[in-house]
Amino acid sequence: MRGQASRPDTATRFFRRAEPTDPVFMDASGRRARVVRRVMFWLVALALLLLAVLWLSQAVVVAAVR
């Protein structure tokens, strides 16, 4: 039996598939990037400070043994 199919309902249309390289969050003002950059700067500075303290404590222990 052949017939004419009705047009599909617009509610059943597919959404455009996002590209894998598309950004997940879009922040046109750049505020999020500045905040993340500032937080990462301070985390790296803290890590370097802790490494310096660890290195100095080891140097003091080695110097005290001699």
Side-chain angles (χ1 to χ4, degrees), residues 8-14:
D9 186 17
T10 58
T12 61
R13 289 187 183 162
F14 290 106

Side-chain angles (χ1 to χ4, degrees), residues 5 12 22 25 57 66:
T12 61
D22 283 350
F25 299 106
S57 69
R66 289 183 183 190

Side-chain angles (χ1 to χ4, degrees), residues 2-62:
R2 295 188 130 204
Q4 191 81 10
S6 61
R7 294 184 81 36
D9 186 17
T10 58
T12 61
R13 289 187 183 162
F14 290 106
F15 291 103
R16 182 183 69 85
R17 174 176 249 167
E19 292 294 322
T21 57
D22 283 350
V24 177
F25 299 106
M26 188 62 183
D27 182 17
S29 68
R31 182 171 181 248
R32 182 180 295 126
R34 284 192 302 272
V35 169
V36 169
R37 191 178 307 121
R38 191 174 297 132
V39 168
M40 290 306 298
F41 173 80
W42 286 111
L43 285 176
V44 168
L46 178 65
L48 288 174
L49 179 68
L50 290 174
L51 281 172
V53 168
L54 177 67
W55 180 77
L56 286 172
S57 69
Q58 295 298 311
V60 168
V61 168
V62 169

